[in-house]
Amino acid sequence: MIKFFRHIRYKLLSENKPSKYIKYAIGEIILVVIGILIALQINNWNNNRLNKNLEKRTLISLKSDLNLQEKIIQRQIDKENFFMAYADSCLNMLNSNIEVKRLAVLLDTLSVRLTFVANKATFNNMGTGGKTAVISNPQLHKDIVEYYQFLDYTESVVNHNNLYRVNSQFGTYVLNNKLGINLRDNGTLYLKNDLMPDQKYELFKQLEGRSYSAENSRNKCELLLERTKYLIDLIDKELENRD
């Protein structure tokens, strides 16, 4: 093709016809410009196609992460409800006969914490703070960023409750055996002495604090669960619009 155009230019120059040569030169420039524009258009189309494919894969991956996050949140809610129920059972014993073995089991269970996990693999891959413009829908992008900010907040609150109230306070209380629970030679548990009023009050406050911690974590997780389901629905609708 290049040799062909070169041959034409040479012929026009040899015939000493400058006007025809100028017209030909202009035509050749126009063809080159058209070729460049077509190439740019093809490149833009290809980039748009790649970006749409990347966006779709990202949305599918985000949905997968959120489905797992939903299960993690529900497990946390269920556990916190159990902890609240266990604390109530212990508090009820203070108003009746204390079953030492059952009380010891419940206290040990309440001293265990469940660490909340934020599943953010896909979001982190989107860029620092989710700022990379992978998601073309600006409102959806905003919703995703705000959701993961709330997820970070919930993770911080729940795990702070775990570390402060469960580990440092209630866990230490149980570990130090403030109630004086002992083990007989036959393997049965018993209280060395009847609980004094101050011991009952201290146990009451510890159980209240443990129950409050569980309730607070549960409430935060329930709000997060609602937002998780809402975001999954938004992503589903976005994916449907692209099919």
Side-chain angles (χ1 to χ4, degrees), residues 179 193-202:
L179 296 179
N193 300 299
D194 291 337
L195 293 183
M196 301 298 290
D198 59 332
Q199 287 179 299
K200 285 189 175 183
Y201 178 73
E202 184 179 8

Side-chain angles (χ1 to χ4, degrees), residues 55 74 88 96 116 142 178-179 194 218-219 228 235:
E55 182 177 7
Q74 188 60 59
D88 285 343
S96 60
F116 183 79
K142 180 174 179 289
K178 293 294 188 71
L179 296 179
D194 291 337
R218 183 202 61 184
N219 292 343
T228 303
I235 292 175

Side-chain angles (χ1 to χ4, degrees), residues 14-30:
S14 62
E15 291 176 356
N16 196 22
K17 296 178 179 179
S19 60
K20 286 186 177 183
Y21 177 80
I22 292 172
K23 290 179 182 179
Y24 165 78
I26 293 172
E28 187 174 323
I29 291 172
I30 292 173

Side-chain angles (χ1 to χ4, degrees), residues 26-243:
I26 293 172
E28 187 174 323
I29 291 172
I30 292 173
L31 285 175
V32 171
V33 171
I34 291 173
I36 292 172
L37 292 175
I38 292 174
L40 288 174
Q41 187 65 30
I42 292 173
N43 185 60
N44 288 337
W45 174 84
N46 189 53
N47 286 336
N48 287 336
R49 180 179 61 84
L50 292 174
N51 288 336
K52 286 181 179 179
N53 289 337
L54 174 61
E55 182 177 7
K56 185 175 181 178
R57 291 197 305 272
T58 300
L59 288 173
I60 292 172
S61 184
L62 272 174
K63 182 184 174 183
S64 178
D65 285 358
L66 290 169
N67 286 332
L68 177 57
Q69 189 68 62
E70 187 176 1
K71 293 177 182 177
I72 293 171
I73 297 168
Q74 188 60 59
R75 182 185 64 171
Q76 193 80 35
I77 291 172
D78 292 342
K79 270 291 186 182
E80 302 299 348
N81 281 330
F82 280 129
F83 291 144
M84 290 170 64
Y86 294 157
D88 285 343
S89 294
C90 292
L91 286 169
N92 289 334
M93 285 189 199
L94 293 178
N95 300 319
S96 60
N97 294 326
I98 293 177
E99 302 172 41
V100 180
K101 181 179 179 180
R102 185 162 177 260
L103 178 62
V105 171
L106 290 173
L107 292 177
D108 282 341
T109 303
L110 287 168
S111 65
V112 175
R113 63 184 175 86
L114 179 62
T115 301
F116 183 79
V117 179
N119 184 31
K120 303 189 297 180
T122 302
F123 179 74
N124 289 339
N125 287 336
M126 289 170 60
T128 305
K131 294 179 181 179
T132 303
V134 177
I135 310 302
S136 58
N137 183 331
Q139 183 58 50
L140 179 58
H141 185 275
K142 180 174 179 289
D143 290 333
I144 290 171
V145 172
E146 288 180 350
Y147 169 82
Y148 281 98
Q149 288 173 344
F150 190 71
L151 176 61
D152 285 339
Y153 165 73
T154 304
E155 180 187 31
S156 175
V157 170
V158 172
N159 290 333
H160 174 75
N161 283 344
N162 281 332
L163 291 172
Y164 178 66
R165 290 193 176 272
V166 181
N167 281 22
S168 299
Q169 292 188 343
F170 193 84
T172 301
Y173 172 81
V174 173
L175 185 63
N176 291 336
N177 193 17
K178 293 294 188 71
L179 296 179
I181 297 175
N182 286 271
L183 181 67
R184 292 191 179 97
D185 292 338
N186 62 4
T188 59
L189 296 174
Y190 70 99
L191 288 175
K192 187 174 181 181
N193 300 299
D194 291 337
L195 293 183
M196 301 298 290
D198 59 332
Q199 287 179 299
K200 285 189 175 183
Y201 178 73
E202 184 179 8
L203 176 58
F204 172 79
K205 295 302 292 183
Q206 288 290 340
L207 289 169
E208 258 199 342
R210 182 67 183 90
S211 182
Y212 172 79
S213 173
E215 183 179 12
N216 183 260
S217 295
R218 183 202 61 184
N219 292 343
K220 291 290 187 296
C221 286
E222 284 179 341
L223 288 174
L224 180 62
L225 184 61
E226 290 179 8
R227 296 186 67 160
T228 303
K229 291 179 177 179
Y230 176 71
L231 185 56
I232 290 174
D233 288 340
L234 289 181
I235 292 175
D236 277 336
K237 290 176 183 177
E238 188 72 19
L239 288 171
E240 286 174 5
N241 292 335
R242 296 172 182 278
D243 291 337

